[in-house]
Amino acid sequence: MPKNKTNSGAKKRFRLTGSGKVMRERARHVHKFQERSSRQARRLVNDVEVAPADAKKIKKLLGK
């Protein structure tokens, strides 16, 4: 039986925690920080859990 391939886009955007939660970065976190207030930039640093409706689909893309 062939191996499953992990979806390349998903592995760059999501990660699994030890307990099985799917985490993602907040939108607008990646660049252009000089245009944001430091307060807003700090708020965007923390990862958040993916919505439960999407978690099952994302786990499948990650091969879990």
Side-chain angles (χ1 to χ4, degrees):
M1 204 168 135
K3 295 179 180 177
N4 288 333
K5 286 193 175 180
T6 304
N7 182 283
S8 297
K11 72 183 176 189
K12 294 169 192 171
R13 289 174 173 85
F14 305 106
R15 65 181 177 83
L16 285 176
T17 63
S19 59
K21 293 179 187 174
V22 183
M23 303 298 283
R24 65 166 175 83
E25 277 192 341
R26 289 183 180 274
R28 302 173 187 199
H29 170 73
V30 180
H31 65 135
K32 286 190 153 181
F33 277 104
Q34 67 275 10
E35 295 179 13
R36 306 189 199 298
S37 66
S38 48
R39 182 181 185 180
Q40 187 182 15
R42 269 197 317 275
R43 190 182 71 81
L44 295 173
V45 165
N46 302 322
D47 290 359
V48 290
E49 194 177 345
V50 169
D54 302 323
K56 187 177 178 183
K57 194 181 297 183
I58 291 166
K59 279 185 180 178
K60 190 175 180 184
L61 291 172
L62 293 173
K64 304 289 179 194

